C-alpha cells in the first residue's frame, strides 16, 4: 500500500452524491501532470461523469450505503478505464459517515466494511492514494454534482 509516494504523476478530483432514487459523480481531468500521458486527457476542463438510478433492491439500502457505494463504483470504473494508476485521488462527499467509515476502519455494518475494503484494495492494485473528504451539501450543489 502506498503510504508516502516518492512521486505523484497525476492528481484527480471527484465528487459523488446519492439520493433515494438516483446517484451521480464527476471526476476532473488530469492535474499536475509533468507531460501529456498518452491515455489521458490533456485539458484541465475534461470531466468524466456517471449518473444512474438505483434498482429496487439497492433503493431499499441506507443512505450511508448508497453514498459510499456510489463513490466505490465510481473509483472502480475510473480504475478499469486506466485513469487511476500511480495517482492521488481526492473524492469528495456530503456524507460524513462515508468519510468516517473510510478512515476508521472498524465498522459495525458489514456492508459498509465491505465497501471500504474494496476501496483499500483498489488503492493497492492501482498504486494510488485515495483521500475521501466530507464537504457541505451546499458545496456539492455549487460544484454541480448534486442537483
Amino acid at each position: 500500500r502506498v503510504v508516502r509516494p516518492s512521486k505523484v504523476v497525476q492528481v484527480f478530483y471527484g465528487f459523488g452524491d446519492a439520493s433515494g432514487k438516483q446517484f451521480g459523480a464527476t471526476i476532473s481531468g488530469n492535474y499536475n501532470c509533468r507531460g501529456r500521458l498518452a491515455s489521458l486527457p490533456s485539458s484541465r476542463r475534461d470531466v468524466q461523469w456517471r449518473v444512474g438510478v438505483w434498482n429496487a433492491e439497492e433503493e431499499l439500502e441506507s443512505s450511508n450505503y448508497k453514498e459510499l457505494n456510489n463513490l466505490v463504483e465510481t473509483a472502480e470504473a475510473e480504475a478499469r478505464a486506466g485513469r487511476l494508476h500511480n495517482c492521488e485521488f481526492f473524492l469528495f462527499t456530503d456524507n460524513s459517515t462515508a468519510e468516517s467509515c473510510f478512515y476508521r476502519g472498524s465498522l459495525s455494518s458489514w456492508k459498509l466494511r465491505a465497501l471500504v475494503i474494496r476501496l483499500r484494495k483498489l488503492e493497492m492494485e492501482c498504486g494510488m492514494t485515495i483521500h475521501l473528504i466530507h464537504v457541505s451539501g451546499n458545496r456539492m450543489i455549487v460544484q454541480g454534482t448534486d442537483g
Side-chain angles (χ1 to χ4, degrees):
R1 181 166 175 234
V2 177
V3 177
R4 290 192 178 143
S6 59
K7 172 172 80 169
V8 174
V9 177
Q10 309 167 73
V11 176
F12 291 92
Y13 297 89
F15 288 81
D17 195 32
S19 67
K21 296 187 182 274
Q22 63 239 359
F23 60 86
T26 56
I27 308 295
S28 75
N30 184 21
Y31 286 84
N32 257 0
C33 188
R34 292 183 180 202
R36 187 165 192 269
L37 300 177
S39 63
L40 295 168
S42 59
S43 169
R44 290 182 175 203
R45 292 174 289 232
D46 291 343
V47 174
Q48 304 294 326
W49 56 272
R50 67 188 284 271
V51 294
V53 294
W54 301 111
N55 65 34
E57 184 179 315
E58 290 171 320
E59 196 174 329
L60 298 175
E61 294 289 348
S62 71
S63 61
N64 293 330
Y65 174 85
K66 287 190 268 192
E67 290 278 352
L68 188 53
N69 186 55
N70 179 41
L71 297 171
V72 171
E73 289 184 357
T74 298
E76 288 174 340
E78 289 298 298
R80 275 192 306 275
R83 289 186 281 270
L84 295 183
H85 292 279
N86 302 318
C87 73
E88 289 205 41
F89 188 26
F90 292 83
L91 268 172
F92 299 95
T93 178
D94 61 354
N95 184 281
S96 60
T97 301
E99 178 192 47
S100 177
C101 290
F102 184 70
Y103 289 110
R104 284 193 187 167
S106 59
L107 308 166
S108 57
S109 167
W110 65 270
K111 288 182 178 183
L112 293 177
R113 188 177 324 117
L115 291 172
V116 170
I117 289 170
R118 284 170 56 189
L119 275 179
R120 294 299 186 186
K121 185 177 173 191
L122 194 61
E123 279 184 313
M124 291 186 289
E125 290 170 351
C126 294
M128 70 170 163
T129 303
I130 295 174
H131 306 277
L132 205 152
I133 302 166
H134 174 258
V135 296
S136 76
N138 290 335
R139 178 69 200 126
M140 296 287 288
I141 292 168
V142 170
Q143 186 272 337
T145 298
D146 183 352

PDB file of all heavy atoms in Angstrom, residues 70-108:
ATOM      1  N   ASN A  70     -21.709   4.480  -4.192  1.00  0.00           N
ATOM      2  CA  ASN A  70     -21.544   5.324  -5.371  1.00  0.00           C
ATOM      3  C   ASN A  70     -20.080   5.728  -5.546  1.00  0.00           C
ATOM      4  O   ASN A  70     -19.537   5.680  -6.650  1.00  0.00           O
ATOM      5  CB  ASN A  70     -22.437   6.562  -5.251  1.00  0.00           C
ATOM      6  CG  ASN A  70     -22.303   7.494  -6.431  1.00  0.00           C
ATOM      7  OD1 ASN A  70     -22.219   7.071  -7.577  1.00  0.00           O
ATOM      8  ND2 ASN A  70     -22.289   8.776  -6.146  1.00  0.00           N
ATOM      9  N   LEU A  71     -19.421   6.112  -4.456  1.00  0.00           N
ATOM     10  CA  LEU A  71     -18.010   6.501  -4.528  1.00  0.00           C
ATOM     11  C   LEU A  71     -17.128   5.318  -4.926  1.00  0.00           C
ATOM     12  O   LEU A  71     -16.215   5.458  -5.748  1.00  0.00           O
ATOM     13  CB  LEU A  71     -17.555   7.074  -3.188  1.00  0.00           C
ATOM     14  CG  LEU A  71     -18.247   8.361  -2.740  1.00  0.00           C
ATOM     15  CD1 LEU A  71     -17.865   8.689  -1.306  1.00  0.00           C
ATOM     16  CD2 LEU A  71     -17.921   9.509  -3.669  1.00  0.00           C
ATOM     17  N   VAL A  72     -17.407   4.152  -4.355  1.00  0.00           N
ATOM     18  CA  VAL A  72     -16.622   2.957  -4.664  1.00  0.00           C
ATOM     19  C   VAL A  72     -16.781   2.583  -6.139  1.00  0.00           C
ATOM     20  O   VAL A  72     -15.798   2.340  -6.845  1.00  0.00           O
ATOM     21  CB  VAL A  72     -17.034   1.772  -3.758  1.00  0.00           C
ATOM     22  CG1 VAL A  72     -16.386   0.478  -4.215  1.00  0.00           C
ATOM     23  CG2 VAL A  72     -16.680   2.060  -2.309  1.00  0.00           C
ATOM     24  N   GLU A  73     -18.017   2.548  -6.610  1.00  0.00           N
ATOM     25  CA  GLU A  73     -18.246   2.167  -8.005  1.00  0.00           C
ATOM     26  C   GLU A  73     -17.671   3.188  -8.977  1.00  0.00           C
ATOM     27  O   GLU A  73     -17.184   2.821 -10.044  1.00  0.00           O
ATOM     28  CB  GLU A  73     -19.730   1.936  -8.246  1.00  0.00           C
ATOM     29  CG  GLU A  73     -20.224   0.668  -7.572  1.00  0.00           C
ATOM     30  CD  GLU A  73     -21.674   0.332  -7.850  1.00  0.00           C
ATOM     31  OE1 GLU A  73     -22.365   1.122  -8.538  1.00  0.00           O
ATOM     32  OE2 GLU A  73     -22.114  -0.732  -7.389  1.00  0.00           O
ATOM     33  N   THR A  74     -17.688   4.452  -8.609  1.00  0.00           N
ATOM     34  CA  THR A  74     -17.075   5.483  -9.451  1.00  0.00           C
ATOM     35  C   THR A  74     -15.568   5.274  -9.526  1.00  0.00           C
ATOM     36  O   THR A  74     -14.985   5.313 -10.613  1.00  0.00           O
ATOM     37  CB  THR A  74     -17.396   6.887  -8.894  1.00  0.00           C
ATOM     38  OG1 THR A  74     -18.813   7.078  -8.931  1.00  0.00           O
ATOM     39  CG2 THR A  74     -16.703   7.976  -9.695  1.00  0.00           C
ATOM     40  N   ALA A  75     -14.934   5.054  -8.387  1.00  0.00           N
ATOM     41  CA  ALA A  75     -13.486   4.826  -8.361  1.00  0.00           C
ATOM     42  C   ALA A  75     -13.121   3.568  -9.141  1.00  0.00           C
ATOM     43  O   ALA A  75     -12.149   3.564  -9.912  1.00  0.00           O
ATOM     44  CB  ALA A  75     -12.990   4.726  -6.924  1.00  0.00           C
ATOM     45  N   GLU A  76     -13.890   2.503  -8.978  1.00  0.00           N
ATOM     46  CA  GLU A  76     -13.609   1.263  -9.704  1.00  0.00           C
ATOM     47  C   GLU A  76     -13.762   1.452 -11.215  1.00  0.00           C
ATOM     48  O   GLU A  76     -12.958   0.934 -11.991  1.00  0.00           O
ATOM     49  CB  GLU A  76     -14.528   0.143  -9.216  1.00  0.00           C
ATOM     50  CG  GLU A  76     -14.179  -0.354  -7.834  1.00  0.00           C
ATOM     51  CD  GLU A  76     -15.162  -1.362  -7.265  1.00  0.00           C
ATOM     52  OE1 GLU A  76     -16.326  -1.428  -7.733  1.00  0.00           O
ATOM     53  OE2 GLU A  76     -14.763  -2.101  -6.338  1.00  0.00           O
ATOM     54  N   ALA A  77     -14.768   2.208 -11.636  1.00  0.00           N
ATOM     55  CA  ALA A  77     -14.966   2.463 -13.069  1.00  0.00           C
ATOM     56  C   ALA A  77     -13.801   3.259 -13.646  1.00  0.00           C
ATOM     57  O   ALA A  77     -13.314   2.959 -14.746  1.00  0.00           O
ATOM     58  CB  ALA A  77     -16.285   3.198 -13.295  1.00  0.00           C
ATOM     59  N   GLU A  78     -13.335   4.256 -12.915  1.00  0.00           N
ATOM     60  CA  GLU A  78     -12.196   5.044 -13.382  1.00  0.00           C
ATOM     61  C   GLU A  78     -10.925   4.200 -13.435  1.00  0.00           C
ATOM     62  O   GLU A  78     -10.122   4.335 -14.350  1.00  0.00           O
ATOM     63  CB  GLU A  78     -11.990   6.257 -12.487  1.00  0.00           C
ATOM     64  CG  GLU A  78     -13.060   7.327 -12.648  1.00  0.00           C
ATOM     65  CD  GLU A  78     -13.090   7.907 -14.044  1.00  0.00           C
ATOM     66  OE1 GLU A  78     -12.083   8.509 -14.481  1.00  0.00           O
ATOM     67  OE2 GLU A  78     -14.123   7.757 -14.718  1.00  0.00           O
ATOM     68  N   ALA A  79     -10.756   3.321 -12.463  1.00  0.00           N
ATOM     69  CA  ALA A  79      -9.580   2.440 -12.456  1.00  0.00           C
ATOM     70  C   ALA A  79      -9.624   1.467 -13.631  1.00  0.00           C
ATOM     71  O   ALA A  79      -8.607   1.233 -14.290  1.00  0.00           O
ATOM     72  CB  ALA A  79      -9.503   1.686 -11.137  1.00  0.00           C
ATOM     73  N   ARG A  80     -10.805   0.900 -13.897  1.00  0.00           N
ATOM     74  CA  ARG A  80     -10.946  -0.014 -15.041  1.00  0.00           C
ATOM     75  C   ARG A  80     -10.624   0.699 -16.355  1.00  0.00           C
ATOM     76  O   ARG A  80     -10.100   0.094 -17.289  1.00  0.00           O
ATOM     77  CB  ARG A  80     -12.357  -0.585 -15.122  1.00  0.00           C
ATOM     78  CG  ARG A  80     -12.591  -1.798 -14.261  1.00  0.00           C
ATOM     79  CD  ARG A  80     -13.903  -2.487 -14.589  1.00  0.00           C
ATOM     80  NE  ARG A  80     -15.064  -1.610 -14.553  1.00  0.00           N
ATOM     81  CZ  ARG A  80     -15.761  -1.295 -13.457  1.00  0.00           C
ATOM     82  NH1 ARG A  80     -15.404  -1.790 -12.295  1.00  0.00           N
ATOM     83  NH2 ARG A  80     -16.803  -0.492 -13.530  1.00  0.00           N
ATOM     84  N   ALA A  81     -10.938   1.977 -16.434  1.00  0.00           N
ATOM     85  CA  ALA A  81     -10.657   2.758 -17.638  1.00  0.00           C
ATOM     86  C   ALA A  81      -9.176   3.138 -17.732  1.00  0.00           C
ATOM     87  O   ALA A  81      -8.747   3.743 -18.710  1.00  0.00           O
ATOM     88  CB  ALA A  81     -11.529   4.010 -17.662  1.00  0.00           C
ATOM     89  N   GLY A  82      -8.400   2.816 -16.693  1.00  0.00           N
ATOM     90  CA  GLY A  82      -6.964   3.063 -16.722  1.00  0.00           C
ATOM     91  C   GLY A  82      -6.538   4.458 -16.329  1.00  0.00           C
ATOM     92  O   GLY A  82      -5.418   4.871 -16.594  1.00  0.00           O
ATOM     93  N   ARG A  83      -7.414   5.199 -15.662  1.00  0.00           N
ATOM     94  CA  ARG A  83      -7.096   6.588 -15.334  1.00  0.00           C
ATOM     95  C   ARG A  83      -6.566   6.790 -13.922  1.00  0.00           C
ATOM     96  O   ARG A  83      -6.188   7.896 -13.579  1.00  0.00           O
ATOM     97  CB  ARG A  83      -8.331   7.462 -15.545  1.00  0.00           C
ATOM     98  CG  ARG A  83      -8.677   7.656 -16.998  1.00  0.00           C
ATOM     99  CD  ARG A  83      -9.800   8.644 -17.172  1.00  0.00           C
ATOM    100  NE  ARG A  83     -11.102   8.064 -16.914  1.00  0.00           N
ATOM    101  CZ  ARG A  83     -11.866   7.483 -17.831  1.00  0.00           C
ATOM    102  NH1 ARG A  83     -11.438   7.369 -19.059  1.00  0.00           N
ATOM    103  NH2 ARG A  83     -13.042   6.991 -17.515  1.00  0.00           N
ATOM    104  N   LEU A  84      -6.543   5.773 -13.074  1.00  0.00           N
ATOM    105  CA  LEU A  84      -6.184   5.999 -11.668  1.00  0.00           C
ATOM    106  C   LEU A  84      -4.924   5.267 -11.215  1.00  0.00           C
ATOM    107  O   LEU A  84      -4.795   4.926 -10.055  1.00  0.00           O
ATOM    108  CB  LEU A  84      -7.356   5.597 -10.762  1.00  0.00           C
ATOM    109  CG  LEU A  84      -8.618   6.430 -10.896  1.00  0.00           C
ATOM    110  CD1 LEU A  84      -9.661   5.962  -9.891  1.00  0.00           C
ATOM    111  CD2 LEU A  84      -8.343   7.905 -10.708  1.00  0.00           C
ATOM    112  N   HIS A  85      -3.987   5.051 -12.088  1.00  0.00           N
ATOM    113  CA  HIS A  85      -2.758   4.363 -11.690  1.00  0.00           C
ATOM    114  C   HIS A  85      -1.701   5.382 -11.277  1.00  0.00           C
ATOM    115  O   HIS A  85      -1.504   6.399 -11.932  1.00  0.00           O
ATOM    116  CB  HIS A  85      -2.258   3.467 -12.818  1.00  0.00           C
ATOM    117  CG  HIS A  85      -3.179   2.324 -13.062  1.00  0.00           C
ATOM    118  ND1 HIS A  85      -3.168   1.187 -12.286  1.00  0.00           N
ATOM    119  CD2 HIS A  85      -4.178   2.160 -13.951  1.00  0.00           C
ATOM    120  CE1 HIS A  85      -4.110   0.368 -12.701  1.00  0.00           C
ATOM    121  NE2 HIS A  85      -4.745   0.935 -13.718  1.00  0.00           N
ATOM    122  N   ASN A  86      -1.040   5.099 -10.149  1.00  0.00           N
ATOM    123  CA  ASN A  86       0.032   5.950  -9.628  1.00  0.00           C
ATOM    124  C   ASN A  86      -0.401   7.406  -9.499  1.00  0.00           C
ATOM    125  O   ASN A  86       0.226   8.307 -10.031  1.00  0.00           O
ATOM    126  CB  ASN A  86       1.281   5.848 -10.512  1.00  0.00           C
ATOM    127  CG  ASN A  86       1.772   4.437 -10.604  1.00  0.00           C
ATOM    128  OD1 ASN A  86       1.810   3.719  -9.610  1.00  0.00           O
ATOM    129  ND2 ASN A  86       2.138   4.020 -11.799  1.00  0.00           N
ATOM    130  N   CYS A  87      -1.499   7.606  -8.774  1.00  0.00           N
ATOM    131  CA  CYS A  87      -2.027   8.958  -8.625  1.00  0.00           C
ATOM    132  C   CYS A  87      -2.530   9.181  -7.202  1.00  0.00           C
ATOM    133  O   CYS A  87      -2.560   8.261  -6.393  1.00  0.00           O
ATOM    134  CB  CYS A  87      -3.172   9.199  -9.612  1.00  0.00           C
ATOM    135  SG  CYS A  87      -4.697   8.335  -9.180  1.00  0.00           S
ATOM    136  N   GLU A  88      -2.905  10.405  -6.942  1.00  0.00           N
ATOM    137  CA  GLU A  88      -3.660  10.729  -5.737  1.00  0.00           C
ATOM    138  C   GLU A  88      -5.058  11.072  -6.207  1.00  0.00           C
ATOM    139  O   GLU A  88      -5.234  11.842  -7.150  1.00  0.00           O
ATOM    140  CB  GLU A  88      -3.033  11.891  -4.981  1.00  0.00           C
ATOM    141  CG  GLU A  88      -1.727  11.479  -4.332  1.00  0.00           C
ATOM    142  CD  GLU A  88      -1.374  12.312  -3.127  1.00  0.00           C
ATOM    143  OE1 GLU A  88      -2.273  12.634  -2.328  1.00  0.00           O
ATOM    144  OE2 GLU A  88      -0.188  12.632  -2.999  1.00  0.00           O
ATOM    145  N   PHE A  89      -6.050  10.488  -5.531  1.00  0.00           N
ATOM    146  CA  PHE A  89      -7.443  10.643  -5.934  1.00  0.00           C
ATOM    147  C   PHE A  89      -8.215  11.235  -4.763  1.00  0.00           C
ATOM    148  O   PHE A  89      -8.370  10.605  -3.736  1.00  0.00           O
ATOM    149  CB  PHE A  89      -8.005   9.281  -6.337  1.00  0.00           C
ATOM    150  CG  PHE A  89      -9.366   9.315  -6.962  1.00  0.00           C
ATOM    151  CD1 PHE A  89      -9.846  10.427  -7.626  1.00  0.00           C
ATOM    152  CD2 PHE A  89     -10.183   8.199  -6.898  1.00  0.00           C
ATOM    153  CE1 PHE A  89     -11.101  10.434  -8.204  1.00  0.00           C
ATOM    154  CE2 PHE A  89     -11.439   8.193  -7.475  1.00  0.00           C
ATOM    155  CZ  PHE A  89     -11.894   9.314  -8.134  1.00  0.00           C
ATOM    156  N   PHE A  90      -8.653  12.473  -4.913  1.00  0.00           N
ATOM    157  CA  PHE A  90      -9.421  13.162  -3.887  1.00  0.00           C
ATOM    158  C   PHE A  90     -10.896  12.999  -4.209  1.00  0.00           C
ATOM    159  O   PHE A  90     -11.371  13.506  -5.222  1.00  0.00           O
ATOM    160  CB  PHE A  90      -9.050  14.650  -3.833  1.00  0.00           C
ATOM    161  CG  PHE A  90      -7.657  14.894  -3.336  1.00  0.00           C
ATOM    162  CD1 PHE A  90      -6.576  14.798  -4.186  1.00  0.00           C
ATOM    163  CD2 PHE A  90      -7.434  15.206  -1.999  1.00  0.00           C
ATOM    164  CE1 PHE A  90      -5.286  15.021  -3.729  1.00  0.00           C
ATOM    165  CE2 PHE A  90      -6.153  15.428  -1.528  1.00  0.00           C
ATOM    166  CZ  PHE A  90      -5.073  15.333  -2.393  1.00  0.00           C
ATOM    167  N   LEU A  91     -11.598  12.268  -3.359  1.00  0.00           N
ATOM    168  CA  LEU A  91     -13.035  12.023  -3.531  1.00  0.00           C
ATOM    169  C   LEU A  91     -13.786  12.834  -2.488  1.00  0.00           C
ATOM    170  O   LEU A  91     -13.527  12.712  -1.297  1.00  0.00           O
ATOM    171  CB  LEU A  91     -13.342  10.541  -3.313  1.00  0.00           C
ATOM    172  CG  LEU A  91     -13.334   9.639  -4.520  1.00  0.00           C
ATOM    173  CD1 LEU A  91     -13.464   8.182  -4.085  1.00  0.00           C
ATOM    174  CD2 LEU A  91     -14.419   9.994  -5.485  1.00  0.00           C
ATOM    175  N   PHE A  92     -14.728  13.648  -2.933  1.00  0.00           N
ATOM    176  CA  PHE A  92     -15.500  14.498  -2.031  1.00  0.00           C
ATOM    177  C   PHE A  92     -16.939  14.008  -1.953  1.00  0.00           C
ATOM    178  O   PHE A  92     -17.536  13.637  -2.959  1.00  0.00           O
ATOM    179  CB  PHE A  92     -15.477  15.952  -2.519  1.00  0.00           C
ATOM    180  CG  PHE A  92     -14.092  16.521  -2.562  1.00  0.00           C
ATOM    181  CD1 PHE A  92     -13.357  16.504  -3.740  1.00  0.00           C
ATOM    182  CD2 PHE A  92     -13.520  17.079  -1.434  1.00  0.00           C
ATOM    183  CE1 PHE A  92     -12.077  17.033  -3.786  1.00  0.00           C
ATOM    184  CE2 PHE A  92     -12.240  17.610  -1.472  1.00  0.00           C
ATOM    185  CZ  PHE A  92     -11.525  17.581  -2.646  1.00  0.00           C
ATOM    186  N   THR A  93     -17.490  14.009  -0.730  1.00  0.00           N
ATOM    187  CA  THR A  93     -18.855  13.574  -0.496  1.00  0.00           C
ATOM    188  C   THR A  93     -19.499  14.478   0.547  1.00  0.00           C
ATOM    189  O   THR A  93     -18.800  15.044   1.383  1.00  0.00           O
ATOM    190  CB  THR A  93     -18.911  12.109  -0.022  1.00  0.00           C
ATOM    191  OG1 THR A  93     -20.266  11.746   0.233  1.00  0.00           O
ATOM    192  CG2 THR A  93     -18.095  11.891   1.240  1.00  0.00           C
ATOM    193  N   ASP A  94     -20.821  14.568   0.497  1.00  0.00           N
ATOM    194  CA  ASP A  94     -21.521  15.332   1.540  1.00  0.00           C
ATOM    195  C   ASP A  94     -22.036  14.407   2.643  1.00  0.00           C
ATOM    196  O   ASP A  94     -22.851  14.797   3.454  1.00  0.00           O
ATOM    197  CB  ASP A  94     -22.649  16.174   0.947  1.00  0.00           C
ATOM    198  CG  ASP A  94     -23.717  15.350   0.259  1.00  0.00           C
ATOM    199  OD1 ASP A  94     -23.548  14.123   0.125  1.00  0.00           O
ATOM    200  OD2 ASP A  94     -24.729  15.938  -0.170  1.00  0.00           O
ATOM    201  N   ASN A  95     -21.523  13.185   2.669  1.00  0.00           N
ATOM    202  CA  ASN A  95     -21.938  12.207   3.672  1.00  0.00           C
ATOM    203  C   ASN A  95     -20.782  11.970   4.641  1.00  0.00           C
ATOM    204  O   ASN A  95     -19.789  11.328   4.293  1.00  0.00           O
ATOM    205  CB  ASN A  95     -22.356  10.907   2.979  1.00  0.00           C
ATOM    206  CG  ASN A  95     -22.889   9.880   3.941  1.00  0.00           C
ATOM    207  OD1 ASN A  95     -22.124   9.216   4.619  1.00  0.00           O
ATOM    208  ND2 ASN A  95     -24.198   9.748   4.002  1.00  0.00           N
ATOM    209  N   SER A  96     -20.905  12.489   5.860  1.00  0.00           N
ATOM    210  CA  SER A  96     -19.814  12.368   6.836  1.00  0.00           C
ATOM    211  C   SER A  96     -19.588  10.924   7.263  1.00  0.00           C
ATOM    212  O   SER A  96     -18.469  10.560   7.638  1.00  0.00           O
ATOM    213  CB  SER A  96     -20.079  13.257   8.047  1.00  0.00           C
ATOM    214  OG  SER A  96     -21.284  12.885   8.683  1.00  0.00           O
ATOM    215  N   THR A  97     -20.618  10.095   7.216  1.00  0.00           N
ATOM    216  CA  THR A  97     -20.458   8.683   7.582  1.00  0.00           C
ATOM    217  C   THR A  97     -19.538   7.967   6.598  1.00  0.00           C
ATOM    218  O   THR A  97     -18.717   7.146   6.993  1.00  0.00           O
ATOM    219  CB  THR A  97     -21.824   7.972   7.657  1.00  0.00           C
ATOM    220  OG1 THR A  97     -22.624   8.645   8.628  1.00  0.00           O
ATOM    221  CG2 THR A  97     -21.678   6.524   8.036  1.00  0.00           C
ATOM    222  N   ALA A  98     -19.645   8.295   5.319  1.00  0.00           N
ATOM    223  CA  ALA A  98     -18.770   7.678   4.316  1.00  0.00           C
ATOM    224  C   ALA A  98     -17.309   8.009   4.613  1.00  0.00           C
ATOM    225  O   ALA A  98     -16.443   7.135   4.582  1.00  0.00           O
ATOM    226  CB  ALA A  98     -19.158   8.148   2.918  1.00  0.00           C
ATOM    227  N   GLU A  99     -17.044   9.267   4.933  1.00  0.00           N
ATOM    228  CA  GLU A  99     -15.682   9.676   5.272  1.00  0.00           C
ATOM    229  C   GLU A  99     -15.205   8.951   6.531  1.00  0.00           C
ATOM    230  O   GLU A  99     -14.100   8.417   6.585  1.00  0.00           O
ATOM    231  CB  GLU A  99     -15.618  11.181   5.495  1.00  0.00           C
ATOM    232  CG  GLU A  99     -14.238  11.671   5.892  1.00  0.00           C
ATOM    233  CD  GLU A  99     -14.242  13.100   6.396  1.00  0.00           C
ATOM    234  OE1 GLU A  99     -15.097  13.438   7.231  1.00  0.00           O
ATOM    235  OE2 GLU A  99     -13.375  13.861   5.969  1.00  0.00           O
ATOM    236  N   SER A 100     -16.046   8.915   7.542  1.00  0.00           N
ATOM    237  CA  SER A 100     -15.692   8.272   8.805  1.00  0.00           C
ATOM    238  C   SER A 100     -15.407   6.784   8.615  1.00  0.00           C
ATOM    239  O   SER A 100     -14.442   6.258   9.169  1.00  0.00           O
ATOM    240  CB  SER A 100     -16.826   8.479   9.804  1.00  0.00           C
ATOM    241  OG  SER A 100     -16.563   7.814  10.999  1.00  0.00           O
ATOM    242  N   CYS A 101     -16.221   6.113   7.838  1.00  0.00           N
ATOM    243  CA  CYS A 101     -16.021   4.681   7.577  1.00  0.00           C
ATOM    244  C   CYS A 101     -14.679   4.428   6.904  1.00  0.00           C
ATOM    245  O   CYS A 101     -13.981   3.474   7.232  1.00  0.00           O
ATOM    246  CB  CYS A 101     -17.127   4.136   6.681  1.00  0.00           C
ATOM    247  SG  CYS A 101     -18.736   4.033   7.473  1.00  0.00           S
ATOM    248  N   PHE A 102     -14.326   5.281   5.972  1.00  0.00           N
ATOM    249  CA  PHE A 102     -13.090   5.090   5.217  1.00  0.00           C
ATOM    250  C   PHE A 102     -11.862   5.204   6.111  1.00  0.00           C
ATOM    251  O   PHE A 102     -10.911   4.445   5.972  1.00  0.00           O
ATOM    252  CB  PHE A 102     -13.008   6.099   4.078  1.00  0.00           C
ATOM    253  CG  PHE A 102     -11.821   5.918   3.190  1.00  0.00           C
ATOM    254  CD1 PHE A 102     -11.726   4.839   2.339  1.00  0.00           C
ATOM    255  CD2 PHE A 102     -10.791   6.848   3.198  1.00  0.00           C
ATOM    256  CE1 PHE A 102     -10.626   4.670   1.517  1.00  0.00           C
ATOM    257  CE2 PHE A 102      -9.689   6.693   2.378  1.00  0.00           C
ATOM    258  CZ  PHE A 102      -9.607   5.604   1.534  1.00  0.00           C
ATOM    259  N   TYR A 103     -11.866   6.143   7.054  1.00  0.00           N
ATOM    260  CA  TYR A 103     -10.678   6.368   7.868  1.00  0.00           C
ATOM    261  C   TYR A 103     -10.636   5.574   9.165  1.00  0.00           C
ATOM    262  O   TYR A 103      -9.564   5.278   9.667  1.00  0.00           O
ATOM    263  CB  TYR A 103     -10.515   7.867   8.163  1.00  0.00           C
ATOM    264  CG  TYR A 103     -10.117   8.620   6.931  1.00  0.00           C
ATOM    265  CD1 TYR A 103     -10.997   9.484   6.307  1.00  0.00           C
ATOM    266  CD2 TYR A 103      -8.869   8.429   6.354  1.00  0.00           C
ATOM    267  CE1 TYR A 103     -10.637  10.161   5.155  1.00  0.00           C
ATOM    268  CE2 TYR A 103      -8.501   9.097   5.198  1.00  0.00           C
ATOM    269  CZ  TYR A 103      -9.391   9.960   4.607  1.00  0.00           C
ATOM    270  OH  TYR A 103      -9.039  10.617   3.455  1.00  0.00           O
ATOM    271  N   ARG A 104     -11.762   5.224   9.723  1.00  0.00           N
ATOM    272  CA  ARG A 104     -11.757   4.490  10.995  1.00  0.00           C
ATOM    273  C   ARG A 104     -11.394   3.026  10.818  1.00  0.00           C
ATOM    274  O   ARG A 104     -10.733   2.451  11.657  1.00  0.00           O
ATOM    275  CB  ARG A 104     -13.113   4.598  11.672  1.00  0.00           C
ATOM    276  CG  ARG A 104     -13.309   5.938  12.311  1.00  0.00           C
ATOM    277  CD  ARG A 104     -14.482   5.901  13.212  1.00  0.00           C
ATOM    278  NE  ARG A 104     -14.745   7.250  13.698  1.00  0.00           N
ATOM    279  CZ  ARG A 104     -15.830   7.593  14.307  1.00  0.00           C
ATOM    280  NH1 ARG A 104     -16.787   6.701  14.508  1.00  0.00           N
ATOM    281  NH2 ARG A 104     -15.997   8.810  14.724  1.00  0.00           N
ATOM    282  N   GLY A 105     -11.923   2.406   9.791  1.00  0.00           N
ATOM    283  CA  GLY A 105     -11.559   1.015   9.532  1.00  0.00           C
ATOM    284  C   GLY A 105     -12.389  -0.016  10.273  1.00  0.00           C
ATOM    285  O   GLY A 105     -12.611  -1.093   9.778  1.00  0.00           O
ATOM    286  N   SER A 106     -12.881   0.269  11.460  1.00  0.00           N
ATOM    287  CA  SER A 106     -13.694  -0.709  12.184  1.00  0.00           C
ATOM    288  C   SER A 106     -15.144  -0.252  12.153  1.00  0.00           C
ATOM    289  O   SER A 106     -15.486   0.801  12.661  1.00  0.00           O
ATOM    290  CB  SER A 106     -13.214  -0.847  13.629  1.00  0.00           C
ATOM    291  OG  SER A 106     -13.297   0.388  14.282  1.00  0.00           O
ATOM    292  N   LEU A 107     -15.960  -1.028  11.514  1.00  0.00           N
ATOM    293  CA  LEU A 107     -17.350  -0.652  11.308  1.00  0.00           C
ATOM    294  C   LEU A 107     -18.278  -1.737  11.824  1.00  0.00           C
ATOM    295  O   LEU A 107     -17.990  -2.917  11.747  1.00  0.00           O
ATOM    296  CB  LEU A 107     -17.616  -0.442   9.815  1.00  0.00           C
ATOM    297  CG  LEU A 107     -16.651   0.494   9.106  1.00  0.00           C
ATOM    298  CD1 LEU A 107     -16.802   0.362   7.614  1.00  0.00           C
ATOM    299  CD2 LEU A 107     -16.911   1.902   9.530  1.00  0.00           C
ATOM    300  N   SER A 108     -19.420  -1.330  12.324  1.00  0.00           N
ATOM    301  CA  SER A 108     -20.398  -2.321  12.778  1.00  0.00           C
ATOM    302  C   SER A 108     -21.201  -2.880  11.610  1.00  0.00           C
ATOM    303  O   SER A 108     -21.707  -3.983  11.681  1.00  0.00           O
ATOM    304  CB  SER A 108     -21.334  -1.694  13.817  1.00  0.00           C
ATOM    305  OG  SER A 108     -21.974  -0.559  13.269  1.00  0.00           O
TER     306      SER A 108
END
